[in-house]
Amino acid sequence: MRLKQPGTGTEFGFTTSKLLMLTFFAVFLLFPILRMMSAMTMETIVATVKTAAFRAALKRSLVVALTTMCITITIASISAWAVTRTCVPLKSFFTIVLTLPMLIPSYSHASGLVLLFGQNGILTRNLHLDQLFGAASYIYGIPGIILGSVMFSVPIAFIMISDIMRYQDYTPYEAAEVMGIPKPNRFFSITYPYFRKPMISVMFVVFTAVITDYGVPHIIGGKSITVAEMMFQKTVKLLDYDTGSVLGMVLLVPAVVSFIMDFANKDKGNMAFVGKAFPLVKTPGRDLLTTVAVSLITLFLMIPLFTATFNSLIVSYPNNLSLTAKHYRTVVFKSGFVYLRNSLLIAVVVSLVGIVLVSLVAYLAARMKSKLSRALHLVSMTAMAVPGIVLGLSYVIVFNKSPIYNTFFILFLVNTVHMFASPYLMMYNTFGKLNENLENVGITLGVSRFRIIKDVILPISRSTILDAMSYFFVQCMKTITAVAFLWSTYTKPLAIKIDEYNAMIETGNVAVATMLIFGVNLLFKTFVYLRQRSIARANIREGNVPIPEGSKTLA
């Protein structure tokens, strides 16, 4: 039975906080998008969609996104099945390495492919691929975009599908086996219903991530322009915000559909609780084949990091392969230091401010149920439906004459809003699993709500808080979409500088910038991992059983 909340003076403060956060989202999320939509005219819309260039770009975007989605789901499913359902060796190693490509910008995935399979690529030259296949051996165009997109989307899908498999209960299969139900019937009556809804969500996440990314097409697309790349060119190079707005709305459609489908496919049950885990049975032949398959997948996904490491340590490929540290000296101590500093500043500020905001909003939405709470939850999740490149353009249109334009503040703001939904969902799920009468019992005993939050709720949620901070930090270090239109010479982050290095054919500097972003993110993730292990050991010593954490999707 739920206790009635005692009336306290703090309730008014929390209601005010809900209204303030709703205002925040209205001003910095909803209004910019609506303003961008209102800036479009019917003439601009018709003129844009009627062009042959737009139709060709839309066709390419759909082909790339659909093909990438199919390949990615297949590869990620094999990898997730291998680490959760088989006896392959080095499971922890594979799990970590399969997610490492998430720590670098999408620019870097494409750059790695160009270094291997470009016109002067390592494999193109040494295996004489150009002589065997001619221009078809080059990676530019749609094939390159698909491969690069698969590289950065597989880790996302792998994490999501691994969680789906890890939290599946074996009890129904055990009962079906006892009852003698044939395996095909088990698949259609147990497996398919369980996987259908979450896998649809995974498919939409991958599709949306690929179709709204301009980093890979920008580096490796050549003449194969996608809608996201066209939007980037129209807005940044031609300053054509009208056409850019139309293209932004086109990119908003799959993201909104993905958001709606994800909400529609949410199961009422909680996958965080497992009755019985799947037994792991050693099957030598299967385990060997699975190990080989996962090893090949891992090597494929690590191509950008391998090529970046190689290219950062040589003078100039293919002219001079002598070892050197000059690229590191240039980027770390000269031209690139200010951009690395900017990236670190943005990542630190957004992770600190972001975790305060998501914790506040998640608490208000999960622990203080009301109509305002439901509205706050909905608008918080709406941020997930807005691609970064679209949000960035909307900020240009709304704030281009304001005092915050071309400052760090607007970069803090756009990154916080753009990345808000996933950390919020982690915190919301964690807070929602706590006993719903915790605060009411405390208040009845004379303990204030603030004291309960400080001494009980936040300590219990430390591990999830670290995950949420990690998400903010890593995404800020590597993001290019949300900030693509908002940086200035003074505020430019290192991930954006990669494009300039690439345009100047400074491949060594591209590689160093990639390795710096990867190294910083890896160090931060390692710190979070060690801190979480320390928290887990402390819980064991104190006899505490931590609640299952919130969703770590894309974290």
Side-chain angles (χ1 to χ4, degrees), residues 265-281:
N265 283 315
K266 289 294 183 186
D267 283 318
K268 297 285 185 182
N270 194 332
M271 289 196 306
F273 298 98
V274 182
K276 184 175 183 179
F278 273 70
L280 299 180
V281 180

Side-chain angles (χ1 to χ4, degrees), residues 2 13 31 40 50 105 137 218 226 252 261 282 304 306 419 491 531:
R2 185 179 178 88
F31 174 70
M40 297 184 299
K50 285 181 66 176
S137 65
H218 185 67
T226 63
L252 193 59
M261 291 294 296
K282 287 189 176 182
F306 289 150
M419 300 164 190
T491 63
R531 190 73 188 92

Side-chain angles (χ1 to χ4, degrees), residues 25-75:
F25 284 113
V27 173
F28 296 114
L29 175 62
L30 302 180
F31 174 70
I33 297 300
L34 294 174
R35 177 67 182 85
M36 186 181 74
M37 294 172 64
S38 66
M40 297 184 299
T41 63
M42 186 56 65
E43 291 79 9
T44 304
I45 296 173
V46 173
T48 301
V49 300
K50 285 181 66 176
T51 61
F54 169 78
R55 292 196 297 271
L58 181 60
K59 180 180 178 181
R60 289 190 202 99
S61 295
L62 292 173
V63 168
V64 167
L66 289 171
T67 305
T68 300
M69 181 186 73
C70 294
I71 297 173
T72 294
I73 295 298
T74 302
I75 292 176

